Amino acid sequence: MKTKVYIIGKEKREEAIANAAEVIKDGGIVAFPTETVYGLGADALNSEAVNKIFIAKGRPQDNPLIIHISDMDDVELYAKNIPDIAKKIMNRFWPGPLTILLEKKECIPDVTTAGLNTVGIRMPSNEVAREFIKKCGVAIAAPSANISGRPSPTDVERCIEDLNGRVDCILGGDNSEVGVESTIIDCSVYPLCILRPGGVTLEELREIDESIYVDPAILNKSNGDFKPKAPGMKYRHYAPKAKVIIIKGNLEKTIEKINELMVNYIVEGKKVGLMVTDETIESYKCEYKKSMGTRSDLSTVAHNLFETLRSFDDMNVDVILAESVEEKGIGTAVMNRLKKSAGFDIIDA
Ligand code: TXA
Ligand code: MG
C-alpha cells in the first residue's frame, strides 16, 4: 500500500488536515498527532474501517479502541446514562490526556469496543488533532500509532518507521508533549476506577472525588487471578527489541548496581545501554547512555520515555539498564510503562 504523508509545515496546515480527513471519509486509516502519543485513526462508526486498524497494527481483536471527539457536547452522541461526576471530570480535564469510560450507545459497532457495553471517550488538547476530528465530522477511533507491542510513537518520524506502507495516510504535526498515553477512568461504575495511569494523575482526580482508586491488577505483573479491567493492560507492551531491566532502590545504590551489572554484561560480550536521569548521568562511564529527563520534574521523563526506548534500538544495544523513578504524580504512569517494557524484570539495588 502506498501511504500518503502530509506533514504540516511542509504542507499548508489546512490542506494537510483536509486531505487526511478525506481519507477517513473514504473509509481509510490515518495516523495523526495528539498531545499524549500519535494515534492511528478511523471513522469510529465504520466497522470495516476500524477493522483495518487492527490489521495494520497486528492488534488482538479483544482489545477495544478509544474514540476521540473534538467537541465536549459530542459525548452525548456516543454515550448514555452519563453520571454527573463524569460531567464534572470532563469539565475539569477536557480537552486533555484523560479517557472516560461510559455506557455506549448503539451507534458504536462491536469491533470498536471489542464487544464491551462501555466506550472510552477522549477529547484531545492538541489543536491539529481536534481540527482533524472536526473536519472528519465523526468520532475517530484510535489506538496509539505503533505496531502492537512496540513503544508508542511521539513524533511523525517514528510513525513513518512503524506504519509506512501499512496505512492509507500519515498526518504529521507537533511532537507529543505529554509523551505517555491518557489516563483511563471508568465512570460507568462507582467508585470510579483508574484502569491505566497517564497524563492526568490520581492526585488530581482525587480532588474531584476521594474514593477514586487504581485497578490493583495493573500495579504488578498480572497473574491468572488478577485480570486488569482494561483488556490492553494484560499484554506485554512498550517493548524495544533489547531486553530491559529496571534497577530500583536508593539512588546511590542504584548507580553502584547499574555499574556492576553493566560491567558483567560487557564481559559477556553484550552491548549495554543505560537509561538514566540528568542527576546521575555523569556517574556512568558508558558509550550508550541517555538521560530521560530530570528527577525534579518527572513530566520531562514522561515526555522522553518512549523516544529514549526507541533510540536504543537504533543503537542496536542488547540490554537496557534503566533507573526507576518515584511512583508519584506522572511518575506512576512512567513506572507503569517502564515495568511493562521490562516484562516486570526488576532488580533491587
Ligand atoms: O493517549 C491515548 O489514550 C492514546 C491516544 C492516541 O489518544 N490512545 C491509546 O490507545 O493509548 P490504545 O489503544 O493504545 O490504548 C487504549 C487502552 C487499551 O489498554 C484498551 O484495552 C483500553 O484502553 N480500553 C479502551 N476501551 C476500553 C473499554 N471500553 N473498557 C476497558 N478498557 C478499554
Ligand atoms: Mg497503545
Side-chain angles (χ1 to χ4, degrees), residues 57 144 146 237:
K57 282 190 55 126
S144 47
N146 49 284
H237 206 335

Side-chain angles (χ1 to χ4, degrees), residues 82-128:
I82 304 170
D84 285 340
I85 187 157
K87 290 181 184 154
K88 223 166 146 182
I89 290 177
M90 286 172 215
N91 282 322
R92 167 80 191 274
F93 297 104
W94 277 2
L98 183 73
T99 296
I100 299 182
L101 295 193
L102 295 164
E103 264 181 69
K104 83 170 183 88
K105 277 195 170 165
E106 295 303 313
C107 60
I108 300 177
D110 275 347
V111 55
T112 303
T113 60
L116 297 175
N117 60 3
T118 54
V119 60
I121 307 185
R122 179 164 106 78
M123 179 178 171
S125 64
N126 181 280
E127 305 269 342
V128 171

Side-chain angles (χ1 to χ4, degrees), residues 32 34-40 57 59 62-68 97-99 101-102 112-113 116-120 122 124 142-146 152 180-184 186 195-196 229-234 237-238 337 340:
F32 66 100
T34 91
E35 74 280 13
T36 56
V37 300
Y38 269 67
L40 176 59
K57 282 190 55 126
R59 181 179 175 103
D62 72 345
N63 196 359
L65 305 182
I66 292 168
I67 71 169
H68 299 69
L98 183 73
T99 296
L101 295 193
L102 295 164
T112 303
T113 60
L116 297 175
N117 60 3
T118 54
V119 60
R122 179 164 106 78
S144 47
N146 49 284
S152 307
V180 292
E181 298 85 347
S182 62
T183 303
I184 301 177
D186 189 352
L195 309 195
R196 177 175 74 180
K229 296 184 208 289
M233 296 298 276
K234 69 176 180 281
H237 206 335
Y238 314 115
R337 306 307 190 272
K340 292 189 78 174

Side-chain angles (χ1 to χ4, degrees), residues 53-73:
I53 294 178
F54 286 88
I55 294 165
K57 282 190 55 126
R59 181 179 175 103
Q61 289 278 354
D62 72 345
N63 196 359
L65 305 182
I66 292 168
I67 71 169
H68 299 69
I69 57 176
S70 59
D71 234 296
M72 192 93 74
D73 297 337

Side-chain angles (χ1 to χ4, degrees), residues 7-286:
I7 296 179
I8 294 174
K10 282 190 192 158
E11 329 253 346
K12 280 197 193 122
R13 180 184 176 115
E14 245 172 63
E15 268 170 39
I17 291 173
N19 289 338
E22 275 314 306
V23 175
I24 294 286
K25 288 179 192 162
D26 289 342
I29 56 177
V30 178
F32 66 100
T34 91
E35 74 280 13
T36 56
V37 300
Y38 269 67
L40 176 59
D43 175 343
L45 306 186
N46 178 341
S47 326
E48 241 173 78
V50 170
N51 216 15
K52 292 181 189 166
I53 294 178
F54 286 88
I55 294 165
K57 282 190 55 126
R59 181 179 175 103
Q61 289 278 354
D62 72 345
N63 196 359
L65 305 182
I66 292 168
I67 71 169
H68 299 69
I69 57 176
S70 59
D71 234 296
M72 192 93 74
D73 297 337
D74 287 355
V75 75
E76 313 267 352
L77 299 174
Y78 307 107
K80 59 185 178 193
N81 301 327
I82 304 170
D84 285 340
I85 187 157
K87 290 181 184 154
K88 223 166 146 182
I89 290 177
M90 286 172 215
N91 282 322
R92 167 80 191 274
F93 297 104
W94 277 2
L98 183 73
T99 296
I100 299 182
L101 295 193
L102 295 164
E103 264 181 69
K104 83 170 183 88
K105 277 195 170 165
E106 295 303 313
C107 60
I108 300 177
D110 275 347
V111 55
T112 303
T113 60
L116 297 175
N117 60 3
T118 54
V119 60
I121 307 185
R122 179 164 106 78
M123 179 178 171
S125 64
N126 181 280
E127 305 269 342
V128 171
R130 284 215 311 282
E131 280 168 43
F132 166 63
I133 298 162
K134 203 175 190 77
K135 200 89 193 164
C136 294
V138 68
I140 297 297
S144 47
N146 49 284
I147 300 276
S148 228
R150 300 257 302 139
S152 307
T154 52
D155 63 39
V156 68
E157 286 80 21
R158 295 298 185 187
C159 283
I160 293 172
E161 189 179 295
D162 272 20
L163 297 178
N164 197 21
R166 303 176 79 108
V167 302
D168 301 291
C169 173
I170 295 174
L171 173 64
D174 320 291
N175 292 355
S176 301
E177 203 182 304
V178 179
V180 292
E181 298 85 347
S182 62
T183 303
I184 301 177
I185 187 162
D186 189 352
C187 292
S188 72
V189 290
Y190 194 84
L192 312 187
C193 179
I194 294 177
L195 309 195
R196 177 175 74 180
V200 172
T201 65
L202 170 67
E203 292 84 344
E204 286 171 309
L205 283 160
R206 279 204 174 143
E207 283 171 25
I208 303 261
D209 184 315
E210 277 187 9
S211 70
I212 294 174
Y213 71 105
V214 178
D215 178 7
I218 65 167
L219 298 175
N220 292 301
K221 186 175 182 146
S222 62
N223 57 39
D225 314 330
F226 252 157
K227 220 166 153 199
K229 296 184 208 289
M233 296 298 276
K234 69 176 180 281
Y235 296 107
R236 172 139 197 250
H237 206 335
Y238 314 115
K241 289 166 196 142
K243 176 183 170 65
V244 181
I245 302 170
I246 300 170
I247 293 79
K248 199 172 178 170
N250 151 303
L251 204 51
E252 265 170 46
K253 285 202 171 139
T254 297
I255 294 170
E256 244 172 65
K257 190 78 188 176
I258 288 181
N259 275 318
E260 178 195 319
L261 290 168
M262 176 185 76
V263 170
N264 291 347
Y265 277 114
I266 291 172
V267 169
E268 278 179 30
K270 297 258 161 56
K271 194 163 163 183
V272 183
L274 304 186
M275 210 158 116
V276 299
T277 45
D278 291 356
E279 287 77 4
T280 60
I281 191 156
E282 294 307 327
S283 312
Y284 302 104
K285 286 199 188 66
C286 181

Side-chain angles (χ1 to χ4, degrees), residues 180-181 183 196-200 302 305-306 327-339:
V180 292
E181 298 85 347
T183 303
R196 177 175 74 180
V200 172
L305 182 70
F306 290 141
E327 289 182 63
K328 225 175 92 184
I330 189 94
T332 312
V334 168
M335 285 309 293
N336 170 265
R337 306 307 190 272
L338 199 54
K339 283 180 195 171

